[in-house]
Amino acid sequence: MPRSISKFAILVGALTLALFPASGVTQTQADEPETEMRPKVGLVLGGGGARGAAHIGVLKVLEEMRIPVDYVAGTSMGSIVGGLYASGMSVEEIEREVLAMDWDDLFKDDPTRAERSFRRKRDDDNYAFDAKVGYNDGKVEIPLAVIRGQKLDLVLNRLTLPLVGVRDFDDMPIPYRAIATDIENGEEVVLGSGSLPKAIRASMAVPAAFDPVELDGRLLIDGGLANNVPVSVARDMGADVLIVVNVGSGLLKREEITSALAVTGQLANFLFSLNTREQLKALGPGDVLITPELGDIGGGSFDRAAETIAPGEAAARQAADALRKYSVSEDEYGRHLAQRGERHPGMPLIDFVRIDNESRLGDALIASRISAQPGKPLDLPRLEEDIGHIYGLEVFESVRYDLVRQDEGTGLVIGAKEKHWGPGYLQGGLASSNNLEGDSTLRLGLVYTRTALNALNGEWRLGGQLGDETSLFTEIHQPIDLKSRYFVYGRIGYFNRNVNIFDAAGNDLARYQLGAYALDLAAGREFGTWGEGRIGYRRYTGDAELRIGEPAPDIDVDRGDAFLRLSADKLDDLYFPRTGYFAKAEWSVGRETLGASSNYEQLIASYVQPLSWGNNMLIGGLAGATTFDDDAPVDALFPLGGLFRLSGLQDDQLTGQHAGLAILTYMRQLHHSSLIRTFVGASLEVGNVWQDSSDISFDNTITAGSLFLAMETPIGPIYFAYGHTETDEASLYIYVGPRIVF
């Protein structure tokens, strides 16, 4: 009901404000009492996931009709749009930001490959499964939700940066409330103070999808479970009349309930629908309800966000007659816009940096990776990059920042929270190939990694593999400086694998079973996240027993060499790259004095460079290996053969003292979802192995190629391929797992 204010009250109020100005009340408000004569308008923006982009269309019409908004209350997606609008952002800015967001990427918590440490990138070489489950004190632990919101938090921080230091939401250009639910008791939690981006994030923390947000000792989830259309909240803020936008999807029809996920979603819809009906019952005759017709656009259809804006605009125009009575003059609306847009400071000057560290790693390690310095303006892109690199250590559940204003000035607070399901993790690996001609391989791997052994993030690993190749190993990786640039490394283990011996024509002559104990010691330096150099010593000792073939003496395996390896990896994806490059070179020296059965030197080098346009990728690769003096032992020979390694041949069909391979691969992406990407492609390969350096010639290379269908899946890449050589050798392949040439 509109409130009438006497002239005496207005005079007293104006004098009081002049003498005792309150936070968040501007001089414009005090000088222009005529604006107080109109009813206070509260805008209520309901939750509905991606359907909430319709709120933008409604806001367009409200601005077109010059309807000032005095209060905003929002739930879930309504809290995002409402919070940005209340912060002083224009409707055009909100639309541009929402439509520019890569929602698929925002909902992926994995750091980009550019952010991952070089050590973590090397996990891609060996372990197909990206997911890691916690294993601590004999118990398996998993995250509380699929999405932890790391990337979304950074976006919300950036969008709300102009309100740095504002802790009371009544002090925003438009007073604002976000609605969340206490997961412990189901109570509605009205957020009207604290960190604005954190409040928005809590309001949209869909159970099981997003991690809950801890605020003031309470664990909060999506506000839609308690109050999806917060009519009561806006009324309590002081609104005389309400404009309510309901974008809820309602209940699923029987024919739509076809899975356990759908059943779970329906249960949530029950709660949303019940509290929505209760809230809408409280609407009065002066209130306006807007319900956009959004058809089959679901709450998770963020790829269709652009489609939802127009229905929101259309629904608001249909309510124009009811809305028109709250329009104001151009002058009055201009003053309202000026008031709403007055809080837009530039990048703040940082007076202090504080680390809130909830992990086993040292504060100094985290601080060493933050470039921001007291006395300098905030460099937001650099800060986000720094946070990405800290998160890329894959130790933390979240790495976030907040800007606070205290007596000592504006401070940058870095919050780093260790994964609650750590510090020990299990990760699996799978590699399998079948040429559909009786030759197949299967390898199952499991590794336990214990991170954060100390303040410098020392790491211990125990792993093994079963299948046609078996192994067991333990290793330790210990950084020796705060930025993990320098490290020492040690590994001991045992491996057992088959070695196939072929004649010059490619005929299978014999199969040996090679078993050896291995020692690997190294020290090195990482170059940011993209490169590494290491120097070390390797020692293998064991034997090779004949299993299939003509009788022959068993072979002793004794390998001892010193090596120097340089690696660079800037690929955006190891298996299906679009940008970047990969390069590696290793020089090794085997000597009898080091434990080798003979004296030899070897050089291995490889390079990969992708080129992409649209959905197309062209990937070129070169790999070569040579043995000086042609005297490497059998266990140090270089193999070729198999998919993308002269497709059409059997795996490792060719072995020699020297090897070379050139490959050109074309791929086109056919399908992209949050879980699977599908590609079709072809490869052209030229290469061979040679026993003597004098035999190396382009004239005696083998030309091969393949046609394939590939998928990037949660268990690693999967290839269905046909390979063929110029000598009419052909194979059909089903391959799961990494494909590493050398």
Side-chain angles (χ1 to χ4, degrees):
M1 180 181 298
R3 294 172 296 177
S4 62
I5 302 176
S6 68
K7 293 182 180 181
F8 178 77
I10 293 173
L11 180 61
V12 172
L15 182 60
T16 301
L17 292 173
L19 296 175
F20 306 99
S23 178
V25 179
T26 66
Q27 191 62 44
T28 301
Q29 292 173 298
D31 289 345
E32 295 168 10
E34 66 273 15
T35 63
E36 299 290 337
M37 300 302 296
R38 64 173 178 81
K40 294 290 188 181
V41 177
L43 179 64
V44 179
L45 302 181
R51 295 164 64 91
H55 296 316
I56 298 172
V58 174
L59 289 174
K60 284 184 175 182
V61 176
L62 295 184
E63 292 213 334
E64 180 185 310
M65 297 183 68
R66 302 191 304 274
I67 298 175
V69 174
D70 301 286
Y71 306 100
V72 176
T75 298
S76 197
M77 189 65 177
S79 73
I80 296 180
V81 176
L84 297 181
Y85 191 68
S87 73
M89 186 177 287
S90 70
V91 180
E92 291 75 17
E93 289 175 311
I94 297 172
E95 181 178 22
R96 185 169 59 250
E97 292 289 348
V98 170
L99 296 185
M101 289 181 185
D102 185 345
W103 293 96
D104 281 344
D105 184 64
L106 286 179
F107 294 158
K108 293 178 182 177
D109 281 304
D110 294 336
T112 65
R113 266 191 120 248
E115 295 170 336
R116 298 178 72 192
S117 68
F118 192 83
R119 176 164 171 79
R120 292 285 75 85
K121 288 181 182 180
R122 300 284 59 81
D123 289 347
D124 297 340
D125 300 344
N126 302 300
Y127 308 107
F129 296 108
D130 290 332
K132 300 176 183 176
V133 298
Y135 186 77
N136 301 283
D137 300 324
K139 298 184 297 184
V140 174
E141 300 176 299
I142 60 175
L144 296 177
V146 178
I147 305 167
R148 283 164 297 284
Q150 173 69 23
K151 295 179 181 179
L152 183 60
D153 284 347
L154 292 178
V155 170
L156 292 176
N157 273 25
R158 173 175 59 81
L159 295 178
T160 59
L161 188 63
L163 294 187
V164 56
V166 174
R167 284 299 182 264
D168 188 339
F169 298 170
D170 284 340
D171 292 341
M172 294 172 59
I174 303 176
Y176 167 74
R177 298 291 185 270
I179 315 305
T181 305
D182 190 320
I183 196 173
E184 291 186 272
N185 53 34
E187 292 179 355
E188 172 188 358
V189 179
V190 180
L191 301 172
S193 62
S195 167
L196 177 60
K198 205 168 186 178
I200 294 173
R201 197 31 200 91
S203 181
M204 60 172 298
V206 179
F210 284 94
D211 264 358
V213 175
E214 186 174 351
L215 280 174
D216 300 326
R218 307 181 79 169
L219 205 59
L220 305 181
I221 57 175
D222 194 306
L225 295 169
N227 193 347
N228 198 46
V229 184
V231 168
S232 58
V233 175
R235 196 84 73 189
D236 291 342
M237 293 176 71
D240 299 312
V241 295
L242 301 177
I243 298 172
V244 181
V245 187
N246 179 21
V247 294
S249 56
L251 299 175
L252 298 175
K253 296 180 175 62
R254 182 173 179 175
E255 59 269 19
E256 297 175 310
I257 305 174
T258 58
S259 67
L261 186 62
V263 173
T264 303
Q266 185 78 325
L267 294 175
N269 288 339
F270 282 141
L271 295 175
F272 293 157
S273 298
L274 285 172
N275 68 61
T276 296
R277 283 199 296 268
E278 288 300 313
Q279 289 293 312
L280 296 183
K281 286 179 182 178
L283 295 181
D287 301 326
V288 182
L289 175 63
I290 300 173
T291 306
E293 293 291 337
L294 297 171
D296 64 345
I297 300 175
S301 305
F302 287 94
D303 59 328
R304 301 176 67 183
E307 297 178 43
T308 67
I309 296 176
E313 186 174 349
R317 294 195 187 282
Q318 289 178 0
D321 289 343
L323 292 170
R324 193 168 288 112
K325 61 184 135 183
Y326 305 120
S327 297
V328 298
S329 67
E330 290 187 10
D331 289 343
E332 188 172 345
Y333 194 68
R335 291 191 294 269
H336 172 78
L337 291 180
Q339 174 190 322
R340 198 184 77 203
E342 64 186 11
R343 295 182 185 268
H344 287 278
M347 289 298 168
L349 190 71
I350 300 301
D351 296 298
F352 64 92
V353 179
R354 188 177 76 230
I355 306 297
D356 284 351
N357 180 17
E358 299 179 50
S359 78
R360 294 169 177 81
L361 304 188
D363 291 358
L365 182 147
I366 298 171
S368 70
R369 289 164 165 78
I370 298 296
S371 305
Q373 298 294 324
K376 295 183 178 180
L378 178 68
D379 185 340
L380 188 58
R382 181 65 181 274
L383 174 62
E384 291 182 345
E385 182 181 339
D386 292 342
I387 286 176
H389 289 158
I390 297 172
Y391 188 69
L393 296 173
E394 300 189 37
V395 173
F396 299 101
E397 180 176 333
S398 64
V399 183
R400 294 160 179 162
Y401 75 90
D402 195 11
L403 294 168
V404 299
R405 286 204 173 133
Q406 299 178 350
D407 293 341
E408 57 266 46
T410 299
L412 173 65
V413 180
I414 305 296
K417 183 178 181 181
E418 190 175 348
K419 294 177 179 177
H420 71 268
W421 61 98
Y425 307 95
L426 287 173
Q427 185 177 19
L430 170 66
S432 176
S433 69
N434 191 322
N435 65 2
L436 304 185
E437 296 179 0
D439 300 302
S440 63
T441 63
L442 176 64
R443 300 165 194 168
L444 296 171
L446 185 66
V447 63
Y448 171 79
T449 304
R450 175 63 162 83
T451 63
L453 289 176
N454 46 51
L456 293 178
N457 197 24
E459 182 177 288
W460 171 68
R461 178 171 282 177
L462 175 68
Q465 179 177 274
L466 296 175
D468 64 300
E469 293 188 11
T470 60
S471 64
L472 181 67
F473 71 90
T474 183
E475 67 179 31
I476 191 162
H477 180 274
Q478 179 60 59
I480 56 178
D481 72 319
L482 289 174
K483 293 187 176 181
S484 303
R485 294 169 296 186
Y486 300 94
F487 64 88
V488 292
Y489 171 86
R491 175 182 173 122
I492 58 174
Y494 174 82
F495 66 88
N496 189 300
R497 62 182 175 90
N498 293 323
V499 178
N500 297 316
I501 306 298
F502 298 82
D503 62 18
N507 299 310
D508 193 351
L509 297 179
R511 175 175 293 175
Y512 284 88
Q513 187 176 60
L514 173 63
Y517 296 93
L519 170 69
D520 192 340
L521 301 173
R525 189 193 194 286
E526 289 190 1
F527 304 100
T529 63
W530 60 268
E532 179 194 90
R534 69 168 61 195
I535 186 169
Y537 169 73
R538 286 185 296 239
R539 178 79 168 93
Y540 300 165
T541 182
D543 56 47
E545 298 180 358
L546 182 70
R547 294 300 187 191
I548 301 174
E550 297 294 330
D554 294 340
I555 303 172
D556 291 331
V557 176
D558 283 296
R559 184 175 182 180
D561 60 53
F563 66 90
L564 173 66
R565 183 190 305 148
L566 298 174
S567 308
D569 185 350
K570 285 194 171 185
L571 295 176
D572 63 331
D573 188 289
L574 184 62
Y575 314 122
F576 307 102
R578 298 181 63 85
T579 62
Y581 65 87
F582 175 87
K584 182 173 72 173
E586 178 178 302
W587 178 55
S588 60
V589 179
R591 293 289 185 267
E592 294 179 359
T593 55
L594 297 175
S597 56
S598 62
N599 295 328
Y600 61 93
E601 296 181 23
Q602 292 183 320
L603 179 64
I604 304 172
S606 58
Y607 183 81
V608 175
Q609 178 75 62
L611 175 68
S612 65
W613 65 100
N615 290 323
N616 305 284
M617 291 170 282
L618 190 65
I619 306 165
L622 292 171
T626 188
T627 304
F628 300 97
D629 300 325
D630 304 331
D631 200 26
V634 173
D635 59 288
L637 298 179
F638 304 112
L640 271 183
L643 182 60
F644 305 142
R645 302 174 61 188
L646 297 181
S647 300
L649 300 181
Q650 299 178 34
D651 281 351
D652 299 341
Q653 181 170 328
L654 308 176
T655 56
Q657 299 278 345
H658 313 273
L661 179 70
I663 179 171
L664 185 65
T665 304
Y666 168 78
M667 288 189 287
R668 179 174 175 83
Q669 183 171 311
L670 301 178
H671 171 75
H672 183 196
S673 71
S674 58
L675 293 177
I676 295 176
R677 291 193 297 164
T678 305
F679 304 83
V680 64
S683 69
L684 177 64
E685 307 144 37
V686 179
N688 207 348
V689 302
W690 302 272
Q691 298 302 325
D692 299 310
S693 57
S694 59
D695 296 331
I696 300 175
S697 170
F698 185 78
D699 293 335
N700 60 8
T701 57
I702 299 171
T703 300
S706 72
L707 299 173
F708 62 88
L709 176 70
M711 293 182 290
E712 187 178 50
T713 75
I715 64 170
I718 302 176
Y719 302 89
F720 302 90
Y722 169 76
H724 194 278
T725 71
E726 64 178 330
T727 56
D728 288 330
E729 294 179 270
S731 289
L732 291 170
Y733 299 97
I734 301 175
Y735 196 94
V736 181
R739 296 299 292 158
I740 308 299
V741 178
F742 292 121

